[in-house]
Amino acid sequence: MASSSDTEVVIIGGGAAGVAAARRLADARIDCLLVEARSRLGGRAWTINSEFPIDLGCGWLHSADRNPWREVAALQGRSIDKTPPPWMRRSAPIGFPLSEQDAFLQAHREFYERLDSLSEDKPDVAAATFLEPHGRWNALINAVSSYVSGAELDRVSARDFDRYGDSGVNWRVVEGYGTVIAAHGHGLPVMLGCPVRLIDRRGRRLRMETPNGAITANAAIVTVPTPVLAEEKIVFIPPLPEKTEAALGLPLGLADKLFLSLADAEEFNKESRLFGHTDRSRTGVYHFRPFGRPQIEAYFGGRLAAELEAGGDGAFVDFAVSELVGLFGSDFARRVKPLKLHPWGIDPFSRGSYSYALPGKAGCRAALAAPVDDRLFFAGEACSGSDYSTAHGAYLTGVTAAEQVIAARIKR
Ligand SMILES: Cc1cc2nc3c(=O)[nH]c(=O)nc-3n(C[C@H](O)[C@H](O)[C@H](O)COP(=O)(O)OP(=O)(O)OC[C@H]3O[C@@H](n4cnc5c(N)ncnc54)[C@H](O)[C@@H]3O)c2cc1C
């Protein structure tokens, strides 16, 4: 039977942003409740433990030198791996001679430089505008965009892309990024398996409807992914069309990882990387022996990932094996076995992997983050102006929203 709970602040969504917000409020001794739709904390941060910890969502501590999760991981006694990421080094020269890699890297750098030249007073355009007409490496630059943004460049706002801040330092947590984020929520008051369906702010107190009954609170922090808001899976009364519109401008791009076991792995360099193809955007990228483990982490993005999700798990495995066989010969098929995959696009509580802004929609991030009536607050990676799409961006927006709650409480 439905019951009712009361608290001072409800945090909706227990991913990186929600956990960080709830922790900040709990540290300030404010009565709060973290309400999460899934049966676990972490959201798009998710480590599963098989033979080794595997991050199905975020894996890299991007901007690690200023990433707050690094400090949290250190306090938890985790091991930080500082091996530079494979994308910052040249790939193995298999199917991609070093001279071609250099030409590609040069073309990629020049693309970024042209994109950087878009000044803030010029109208926004699709990032694809800055590709060299008929450039030899355009397809591969687009493939990289499908990994970085989860979308090809024709869909991505150049202005928003340019606003992303990257210190260039990328580390990993051996026990898993998802492990750190979920563990940061240990001991917090949490309600799992509880999707919020409605937020009513007509009364003196906010009223949230869930399958477990109603929850009332003075304030709420909404941290759900943008598709949940864009598809109005949470109904606001009175409506908040400006939030729906902001969320529609910030869709989640799609990136999926497939983990394969690799027999006789020693034949390959640790932490090496290969593109399946270098002449098309519809290609996976394969990270061999992450952490030295006998595995391949295959990464698919954008339209290719959406197409593979439509084909089911087998479509990912078939595609990966066909690309690897193309590089190493038909015997290679016997050396790999699927370990794990999570299709984030059809996951009802994320509906994608990380946010990008559509051309002309860079301003949606500030619109999404803006508080309503000093009692409804918004956080989550999509609310970050320069660290969007990342777990540390999510953390920072969560803490900002918690500080806004604290400031509003003092005014009241
Ligand atoms: C494959 C992949 C690779 C990635 N790689 C990296 C990386 O290397 N480095 C990096 O920094 N980032 C990476 N990311 C992105 C990173 O995981 C996210 O940006 C970050 O985890 C988002 O945190 P969040 O709190 O904003 O959202 P989420 O983690 O999505 O949290 C929102 C929560 O809201 C819950 N929810 C949804 N609907 C409701 C509802 N109605 N009621 C209650 N709860 C609800 C969800 O279940 C979820 O737990 C990756 C993501 C993916 C998918």
Side-chain angles (χ1 to χ4, degrees):
M1 202 172 69
S3 61
S4 180
S5 341
D6 298 301
T7 184
E8 188 168 347
V9 187
V10 166
I11 301 102
I12 302 171
V19 166
R23 176 61 64 200
R24 176 69 188 90
L25 291 173
D27 286 351
R29 300 190 185 289
I30 294 174
D31 192 24
C32 65
L33 178 64
L34 185 52
V35 182
E36 165 56 48
R38 301 176 197 268
S39 56
R40 61 172 180 85
L41 289 182
R44 284 171 274 161
W46 187 19
T47 308
I48 57 152
N49 284 294
S50 55
E51 193 185 348
F52 304 102
I54 285 180
D55 272 315
L56 293 168
C58 54
W60 291 93
L61 292 154
H62 295 310
S63 298
D65 49 339
R66 59 173 179 83
N67 183 323
W69 288 117
R70 181 185 42 90
E71 211 170 302
V72 174
L75 288 171
Q76 291 177 5
R78 312 287 177 193
S79 317
I80 305 290
D81 184 295
K82 299 186 178 176
T83 311
W87 68 84
M88 296 188 84
R89 289 175 281 121
R90 295 202 291 187
S91 311
I94 299 162
F96 201 13
L98 293 179
S99 58
E100 291 201 357
Q101 291 189 37
D102 290 343
F104 163 66
L105 290 174
Q106 173 77 10
H108 205 212
R109 239 188 330 268
E110 287 170 8
F111 165 72
Y112 280 138
E113 281 164 15
R114 288 193 294 275
L115 203 136
D116 269 354
S117 68
L118 178 72
S119 58
E120 287 277 335
D121 55 343
K122 291 261 165 53
D124 190 13
V125 288
T129 313
F130 297 95
L131 286 171
E132 198 189 333
H134 312 293
R136 167 158 187 222
W137 297 107
N138 286 358
L140 199 54
I141 294 173
N142 238 327
V144 172
S145 172
S146 79
Y147 314 135
V148 171
S149 301
E152 285 75 7
L153 295 163
D154 57 329
R155 293 188 55 77
V156 175
S157 151
R159 163 131 321 117
D160 189 62
F161 191 86
D162 201 30
R163 286 180 182 170
Y164 182 74
D166 185 354
S167 78
V169 182
N170 299 278
W171 295 339
R172 283 168 300 177
V173 184
V174 176
E175 296 86 344
Y177 207 161
T179 303
V180 173
I181 293 172
H184 197 52
H186 285 172
L188 290 171
V190 173
M191 208 181 260
L192 294 175
C194 191
V196 171
R197 297 192 290 227
L198 182 144
I199 305 175
D200 184 345
R201 56 182 208 290
R202 288 173 300 182
R204 197 179 54 79
R205 278 167 67 77
L206 298 175
R207 188 172 161 281
M208 268 73 48
E209 275 183 18
T210 82
N212 301 356
I215 307 169
T216 61
N218 290 339
I221 302 177
V222 179
T223 76
V224 297
T226 49
V228 174
L229 297 175
E231 293 166 20
E232 302 190 27
K233 291 279 178 341
I234 297 179
V235 174
F236 292 98
I237 301 180
L240 287 174
E242 68 276 25
K243 295 295 177 190
T244 316
E245 202 183 312
L248 282 166
L250 302 168
L252 295 200
L254 190 53
D256 289 323
K257 295 178 188 175
L258 164 68
F259 288 83
L260 300 164
S261 65
L262 173 64
D264 302 323
E266 307 69 39
E267 190 194 311
F268 294 93
N269 286 336
K270 291 178 189 171
E271 313 281 7
S272 52
R273 184 180 84 142
L274 293 171
F275 290 105
H277 287 87
T278 56
D279 59 353
R280 61 196 72 170
S281 60
R282 202 175 160 280
T283 184
V285 65
Y286 302 89
H287 180 172
F288 280 67
R289 302 185 66 196
F291 297 99
R293 296 167 185 163
Q295 292 178 346
I296 302 173
E297 181 186 310
Y299 213 86
F300 307 96
R303 294 182 180 112
L304 171 62
E307 187 191 309
L308 296 176
E309 283 200 10
D313 290 9
F316 283 90
V317 179
D318 291 349
F319 188 90
V321 170
S322 75
E323 286 205 310
L324 292 167
V325 160
L327 292 167
F328 299 109
S330 54
D331 278 356
F332 198 80
R334 264 178 273 152
R335 293 174 60 179
V336 292
K337 289 209 168 37
L339 290 173
K340 192 70 192 168
L341 160 85
H342 183 70
W344 290 99
I346 57 173
D347 179 327
F349 300 121
S350 58
R351 312 278 290 130
S353 303
Y354 25 85
S355 70
Y356 65 97
L358 293 169
K361 302 293 180 186
C364 288
R365 297 202 186 275
L368 185 65
V372 174
D373 298 343
D374 251 359
R375 59 181 183 153
L376 196 52
F377 302 87
F378 289 80
E381 55 88 6
C383 294
S384 171
S386 58
D387 293 309
Y388 57 79
S389 82
T390 68
H392 65 279
Y395 178 106
L396 294 169
T397 62
V399 170
T400 299
E403 306 281 359
Q404 288 168 339
V405 168
I406 294 167
R409 194 167 169 259
I410 293 166
K411 274 197 255 160
R412 223 175 267 135

